[in-house]
Amino acid sequence: EAINKSSKLIKAVIEMEIIFGMDLHIKKFTDIRYSENENTIEVKIVNAEAIYREFTNNIVSCVLNNLEFFALHFTHGVADESVIYQSLHQSYLELCQMLYYEISSMNEEGCHNYYTNIVDLYNKWYKRSEDIENDLAYNRRKSVDRGTVAKKRV
């Protein structure tokens, strides 16, 4: 939460808006002045909380909703997740970890659960990834050639 309220995040959102032109509707909460002769930009934050709220509503919520839609196809058996696991699991796991705070803050104790398909697919792919890593580590350790071992005499 501290990161979400930090001026560093707000500045990054403003830079993202300026550089990529993402149309986050935050210009009304900033005072941006361009200096043509020095090719510099001066940004004054007028309302940081509103900038964060717009960013969350326009980007984070959209990404989470798209991830939920993506994941539900696999968790409900409409599509076979094993087909795309190898290609997408690393990006998917990383993105879910990055958005963990947003997901968990929506799922405080109570009867309403959000992004359940994201969490289910994450858990499935995380476990598979860990199992594969453990198998690889075991096989690497097992494949070490120790040479000839003398037999014990009885």
Side-chain angles (χ1 to χ4, degrees):
E1 189 171 353
I3 292 170
N4 288 343
K5 305 293 182 191
S6 71
S7 62
K8 188 176 181 180
L9 176 69
I10 300 303
K11 289 177 183 175
V13 169
I14 293 169
E15 288 175 6
M16 189 170 54
E17 167 72 22
I18 293 168
I19 294 168
F20 298 113
M22 296 188 67
D23 196 23
L24 299 174
H25 308 289
I26 62 170
K27 291 180 182 169
K28 57 190 169 200
F29 306 116
T30 60
D31 182 15
I32 301 173
R33 298 173 191 223
Y34 299 92
S35 171
E36 291 182 28
N37 57 351
E38 296 179 24
N39 292 328
T40 59
I41 299 172
E42 182 183 326
V43 177
K44 180 181 176 190
I45 300 170
V46 176
N47 189 341
E49 191 172 304
I51 292 171
Y52 174 72
R53 190 174 48 251
E54 289 295 320
F55 171 69
T56 302
N57 291 339
N58 290 320
I59 299 295
V60 176
S61 294
C62 184
V63 168
L64 286 170
N65 289 336
N66 285 335
L67 277 175
E68 180 72 1
F69 182 71
F70 170 82
L72 77 82
H73 291 88
F74 303 111
T75 59
H76 291 273
V78 176
D80 181 5
E81 52 82 26
S82 68
V83 174
I84 62 161
Y85 169 80
Q86 191 59 44
S87 301
L88 295 179
H89 81 280
Q90 293 162 326
S91 299
Y92 184 83
L93 294 176
E94 187 176 315
L95 188 56
C96 290
Q97 290 166 357
M98 200 171 10
L99 295 169
Y100 171 79
Y101 176 79
E102 302 299 331
I103 294 169
S104 64
S105 68
M106 294 287 293
N107 286 314
E108 295 179 6
E109 288 188 38
C111 62
H112 301 291
N113 291 316
Y114 296 91
Y115 309 118
T116 56
N117 292 296
I118 292 173
V119 173
D120 287 348
L121 185 60
Y122 174 86
N123 289 335
K124 185 175 192 171
W125 281 5
Y126 183 81
K127 181 179 180 339
R128 183 181 299 161
S129 177
E130 288 293 302
D131 290 346
I132 290 170
E133 285 295 320
N134 289 337
D135 287 347
L136 288 172
Y138 174 77
N139 288 331
R140 276 192 300 265
R141 281 186 238 118
K142 189 178 171 183
S143 68
V144 174
D145 184 11
R146 291 190 169 85
T148 304
V149 178
K151 294 182 181 181
K152 285 185 178 182
R153 290 187 179 195
V154 184

